[in-house]
Amino acid sequence: MTSARRVAVTGLGLVNPFGGDLPDFFGRMLRGESAIRLYTREDDVLRPLSVPAVRCANFDAEAALGRSLAYTMDRYSQLGTAAALSAWRDAGLPRTQEAPRNDWGVSWGTALGGTLTFESGYIEMLRGRERVPPLSVVLGMSNAAASHISIQLGLGASSATYSVACASSAVAIGEALPKIRSGEATLMVVGGSEAPLSYGVVRAWEAMRILALGDEASSVRACRPFSSDRQGLVLGEGAGAMILEDWDHAVRRGARIYAEFAGCGSTSDHDHLVRPNVDGQTRAMRMAIRDGGMTPDEIDYINAHGTATREGDPIEIAAIRGVFGSRSPAVAVSATKSMHAHMLGATGVVEAIITVLSLASQEAPPTAHLDDLDGECAGVRHITGGSLRGSLRAALSNSFAFGGSNTVLAFRAAH
Amino acid sequence: MNSAMKKDNLTVLSEFLHKRENIDPARVTPEASLEELKVDSLLLLELLFEFEDRLGVKMPQDIPRPKTVGDLLGIVDKVTAGNGV
């Protein structure tokens, strides 16, 4: 590993529910501002939905992508491609294709792909139509977002999509690491996107009895990770993208380096489809720290998976305590899903972006609405009330998926 | 009847291309090349779907690939008239 190339994070892009730019989003995270609102949907065929959720209501696909491109995409691809173009601009990369970029690629994550496209096909058929629109296949396919990104940016290396439930984009980011380290790729556009607010998907999560409830007034506080009165997760749509780049390549072109992507650990609980496992999570965190050439003592912040389920939150805290031992009370932890909700396949990258920005600004966001800590979740330095300023040397971003797939990303401050 | 239909279909086509690809309707003439109007295989599928919807017909699976606007409108006319392709 001594000869492996280092990996720089040089660009960040989001489509987020607040509708503003990256600094606006991160500022709201630091202030503990929730984007969760009551989401309602109804039409003439299906019974109406009404749940707390996060929606990117201000996202204008035609403005972001042009009408022609927007029409050939499901919403999850629109969100994803817009985020990737935004990260590309943020990295100071030109759209012109002067030289072939056959060693630049894309690594993307989505849990559900084009669910909305297939659902609208079903709704048309329920209305009595025999056929569905002719682009349904290319809109709905799970690698559509990655393909559009590859086409728009002229990326000739691998274009792969990972579907690992709630860890999808974390896995996509992790899978890009060895490609750059080994020299197979010089630059990778990584991230994920999700548009899960279809009837079928929302009803499916409701049926698992782990969706937080809320009305017009209470939805903003519906997701309360680590809180003694937490009541479950909140679904959200969104997208995030990062530009990962060979460190020396980034330095040569004078790119701004937000942080170093130092390591990744992936494990499987091999235990249960939905019950998380302390050992699997512990091993993933240890692996990420070791892979990054670090020791647990260097980790100053963890962006937790923290979904606000009764069962999941204490298990994650137990795993963190297992990794950090007597130092656990000094390790700062926050669960930002309390504000941006659970974006399923996109959530890993959105949280990775928050983690990277925390290292770059030396300021980490709180867990919102954490007024009454559950004793079962105690033992770490929960960030509550407001942001934490201080020396942040390195940080982890945890993603633990249904199915028992765990991925932890380790980042190190660039300076 | 036939020429009136043709004019209507040309309008449908030019309106669709204007809406989707912002193509100047003046460019959509029977002689115009579909390729030059940015009608690729996916957009052609959408156009056929649009005509099927508006005219209440079903395009056969094995229609020849039209090269010009006139070719496409000819196919639509034949199917509408029940003559096959």
Side-chain angles (χ1 to χ4, degrees), chain A residues 138-407:
Chain A
V138 293
L139 264 74
M141 62 191 193
S142 293
N143 65 339
S147 299
H148 281 294
I149 293 163
S150 168
I151 292 165
Q152 288 306 310
L153 299 174
L155 311 177
S158 79
S159 161
T161 300
Y162 299 86
S163 190
V164 194
C166 316
S168 297
S169 52
V171 171
I173 294 167
E175 290 293 318
L177 185 57
K179 291 181 191 299
I180 300 176
R181 275 182 178 166
S182 69
E184 177 189 332
T186 300
L187 183 149
M188 295 290 291
V189 179
V190 301
S193 52
E194 205 75 78
L197 299 178
S198 66
Y199 289 99
V201 170
V202 172
R203 293 294 187 213
W205 283 90
E206 274 182 343
M208 289 207 79
R209 311 179 74 85
I210 54 170
L211 273 197
L213 306 174
D215 56 24
E216 199 75 58
S218 65
S219 285
V220 70
R221 285 175 54 87
C223 185
R224 298 186 293 277
F226 310 128
S227 177
S228 54
D229 68 348
R230 68 188 179 280
Q231 49 153 1
L233 60 87
V234 171
L235 293 174
E237 67 172 11
M242 305 201 299
I243 307 298
L244 300 182
E245 191 169 348
D246 175 331
W247 190 279
D248 293 339
H249 184 269
V251 169
R252 274 200 303 277
R253 72 176 184 89
R256 169 189 46 197
I257 297 176
Y258 282 102
E260 178 178 4
F261 179 23
C264 175
S266 285
T267 64
S268 175
D269 291 340
H270 63 81
D271 177 28
H272 194 274
L273 270 179
V274 297
R275 186 183 57 234
N277 176 298
V278 173
D279 176 64
Q281 297 184 3
T282 303
R283 287 187 293 117
M285 281 186 268
R286 285 190 174 136
M287 189 186 291
I289 293 167
R290 194 170 57 240
D291 186 49
M294 297 186 278
T295 66
D297 286 349
E298 294 171 64
I299 304 297
D300 291 317
Y301 169 63
I302 299 174
N303 188 294
H305 187 60
T307 56
T309 58
R310 294 300 321 172
E311 198 167 21
D313 289 6
I315 288 176
E316 182 171 14
I317 296 300
I320 292 171
R321 293 177 66 180
V323 172
F324 295 93
S326 61
R327 193 175 157 260
S328 301
V331 178
V333 173
S334 65
T336 48
K337 285 188 182 78
S338 52
M339 299 174 274
H340 56 68
H342 195 336
M343 296 172 175
L344 302 182
T347 215
V349 65
V350 171
E351 291 160 29
I353 287 171
I354 292 169
T355 306
V356 164
L357 287 172
S358 297
L359 289 172
S361 65
Q362 296 287 290
E363 187 174 6
T367 301
H369 332 301
L370 184 48
D371 309 321
D372 180 18
L373 178 68
D374 181 356
E376 284 192 69
C377 298
V380 300
R381 185 179 182 186
H382 284 286
I383 310 174
T384 63
S387 65
L388 172 77
R389 285 183 207 201
S391 167
L392 304 177
R393 294 164 294 167
L396 302 181
S397 180
N398 285 348
S399 293
F400 305 136
F402 271 5
S405 305
N406 308 304
T407 289

